[in-house]
Amino acid sequence: MRRFKVFKVFKSLAIDSLDTITKGSKKYHIWMGFLTLVMLIGMYCYSIQLDKGLSVTGMSDRVSWGLYISNFTFLVGVAAAAVMLVMPTYILKDIDFKQAVLIGEGLAVSALIMCLAFVVADMGGPSVLWHMLPGIGVFNFPNSMLTWDVIVLNGYLLLNISIPFYILFRRYQGKIPNPKIYVPGAILSVFWAVAIHLVTAFLYQGLQARPFWNNALLGPRFLASAFAAGPALIILVLAIIRSFTSFKIPDKTIKKIALIVTVAAQINLIMLISELFKEFYAPTHHSESAYYLFFGLHGKDALLPWIWTAIPLNVIATIMLTFGKLRNNLKVLYFCCFILFVAIWIEKGFGLIVPGFIPGPYGKIVEYLPTGIEIGVTIGIWAMGAFIFTILAKTAIGIETGVLKYKAKHT
């Protein structure tokens, strides 16, 4: 009988959620229509890749990771950054973060789904995914770092789906969530968030033939950049939600998240300076990748515009955020968060993945730039992530504001 009642409530939640996400203002429908169009463009580009193979991308046997893995690496950090809201809300009982935590977890779910989509795109197609299944494919457990990455990413995705779902399901019923059920999972997710990004860093760090990645600071810097870019994106999302919905997030919440962004950005910048000192103060032949990235090598300089856009943006954003008067001005804060997000996206993408392959182990320089097909697939996946997040956020906001409530409508 109890199971039947739970199923009935779940069915009601599904129907109410579907009703909520299919209704909205004109701006909401334009937004969802735009995302759908971009996803269709991405699907068309992906169909070309499926038909002709990875030869339609800018990748080669010399540079085998490009735009897809760059975005995968960056988005793992965005997903991990949800812990910066989970820990103060569920563990430290900081009520100032309470309004934002479910939004942060929804962003983590969307980011993780995008991560998996970029892996599928980089593998060439979904038909080869069976290799990643334990007992069926060549999973190579526990030796392969990629195996560990698959485990931690899917485990973190499960945590970020189950915890918010339980909380929202209880609130939809008009009941108080039991902390004894969700707090242990929240504590586990704190450690798991660190693990997903460290393991991703270890994927690169453990490749001895790629000295650009074989750096002891890589793991800590991954975390620092993640805890800067992720909360920066959360602030931008919260600003949009405050403007277009009835879900009001206090200024105090945004300012507290801004402090997290500031400290993480400062640590990230210090680590960047440390890496630059190591590469250029006493350079060896292992510094060639860094020279290629920052100054070009043997007339090859395709990445110069990217990195020399990222570094100034990073420095400007960090300096501006350091001053409390500027940081507490919300318009300035939003601008800083935007340019910091873009800067870290470039640094952890084109500024990290691509130069690791250049020059190759035998000294040959083969440059990489993404093709239109890669860009189309990439923006399609980002649109998919935005589409999923919009659905999750609209449902969560409906429950949090009391618009979606089981007892009020069905008793």
Side-chain angles (χ1 to χ4, degrees):
M1 189 69 182
R2 186 179 177 184
R3 289 182 180 178
F4 175 76
K5 186 177 180 180
V6 170
F7 175 76
K8 187 178 178 181
V9 176
F10 179 79
K11 181 181 177 182
S12 173
L13 174 60
I15 293 171
D16 286 348
S17 298
L18 185 62
D19 183 62
T20 298
I21 64 178
T22 53
K23 293 179 181 178
S25 65
K26 185 178 179 180
K27 290 180 180 179
Y28 171 74
H29 286 291
I30 291 173
W31 168 246
M32 297 301 276
F34 169 73
L35 292 178
T36 302
L37 176 62
V38 177
M39 283 191 290
L40 290 173
I41 293 172
M43 289 172 64
Y44 172 71
C45 293
Y46 186 59
S47 70
I48 295 175
Q49 180 178 304
L50 284 177
D51 181 48
K52 300 185 180 298
L54 290 171
S55 62
V56 298
T57 70
M59 293 181 284
S60 63
D61 58 344
R62 301 285 183 177
V63 182
S64 53
W65 288 342
L67 190 60
Y68 299 151
I69 296 299
S70 297
N71 279 277
F72 162 78
T73 305
F74 175 75
L75 285 166
V76 171
V78 172
V83 73
M84 303 309 291
L85 300 182
V86 170
M87 185 166 63
T89 303
Y90 296 146
I91 300 172
L92 303 180
K93 307 297 182 183
D94 191 330
I95 60 173
D96 291 335
F97 285 90
K98 189 177 180 181
Q99 295 292 88
V101 65
L102 291 174
I103 301 299
E105 290 187 319
L107 198 63
V109 170
S110 304
L112 287 166
I113 293 173
M114 284 191 282
C115 285
L116 298 174
F118 276 116
V119 170
V120 173
D122 188 72
M123 292 177 73
S127 60
V128 296
L129 280 181
W130 65 272
H131 286 291
M132 306 298 293
L133 300 177
I136 300 175
V138 186
F139 206 50
N140 197 21
F141 181 83
N143 297 324
S144 171
M145 287 305 304
L146 183 59
T147 298
W148 286 102
D149 209 31
V150 171
I151 292 172
V152 295
L153 282 175
N154 283 283
Y156 191 61
L157 177 60
L158 180 63
L159 284 171
N160 277 277
I161 290 176
S162 58
I163 296 172
F165 177 78
Y166 167 74
I167 293 172
L168 291 172
F169 188 73
R170 294 287 290 181
R171 288 178 181 167
Y172 176 73
Q173 292 177 286
K175 299 178 180 178
I176 299 174
N178 186 354
K180 293 181 180 179
I181 294 177
Y182 68 83
V183 168
I187 294 172
L188 180 61
S189 72
V190 171
F191 296 98
W192 213 297
V194 175
I196 65 169
H197 218 29
L198 278 181
V199 171
T200 303
F202 293 162
L203 274 172
Y204 307 109
Q205 196 174 336
L207 300 175
Q208 298 93 329
R210 306 291 179 183
F212 188 68
W213 299 332
N214 195 221
N215 186 335
L217 268 182
L218 193 64
R221 190 166 176 229
F222 261 41
L223 291 176
S225 60
F227 296 153
L233 179 60
I234 291 172
I235 287 174
L236 295 175
V237 169
L238 292 178
I240 294 171
I241 289 174
R242 287 190 352 154
S243 300
F244 294 99
T245 74
S246 59
F247 191 63
K248 300 304 178 184
I249 295 96
D251 288 352
K252 185 187 292 186
T253 299
I254 291 179
K255 289 176 181 179
K256 277 194 172 184
I257 301 173
L259 190 59
I260 294 172
V261 174
T262 302
V263 174
Q266 291 169 342
I267 295 172
N268 180 57
L269 194 58
I270 291 170
M271 289 183 178
L272 172 62
I273 294 169
S274 178
E275 286 186 357
L276 294 177
F277 177 83
K278 173 254 183 186
E279 296 287 4
F280 298 122
Y281 182 75
T284 68
H285 66 283
H286 290 309
S287 303
E288 287 187 332
S289 294
Y291 263 96
Y292 166 74
L293 174 63
F294 286 95
F295 305 111
L297 198 63
H298 306 312
K300 307 289 187 179
D301 55 7
L303 296 185
L304 258 63
W306 292 89
I307 196 64
W308 287 112
T309 299
I311 297 298
L313 289 179
N314 193 344
V315 173
I316 291 170
T318 304
I319 291 175
M320 291 179 70
L321 287 170
T322 300
F323 294 96
K325 284 188 177 180
L326 295 177
R327 186 175 66 247
N328 291 326
N329 183 319
L330 292 184
K331 289 184 179 179
V332 175
L333 174 64
Y334 298 153
F335 171 73
C336 291
C337 287
F338 176 75
I339 64 174
L340 182 66
F341 182 83
V342 172
I344 294 176
W345 179 83
I346 296 173
E347 279 185 48
K348 290 182 75 173
F350 277 66
L352 174 72
I353 306 303
V354 178
F357 290 99
I358 305 171
Y362 298 105
K364 186 173 182 179
I365 297 177
V366 177
E367 293 195 289
Y368 163 84
L369 283 175
T371 63
I373 297 296
E374 282 178 278
I375 295 172
V377 173
T378 298
I379 63 172
I381 292 175
W382 274 92
M384 179 190 71
F387 191 92
I388 292 170
F389 173 75
T390 303
I391 290 173
L392 294 175
K394 201 165 192 300
T395 303
I397 290 171
I399 294 173
E400 287 291 292
T401 55
V403 175
L404 295 182
K405 200 167 186 180
Y406 177 73
K407 284 190 173 182
K409 297 186 68 175
H410 299 281
T411 58

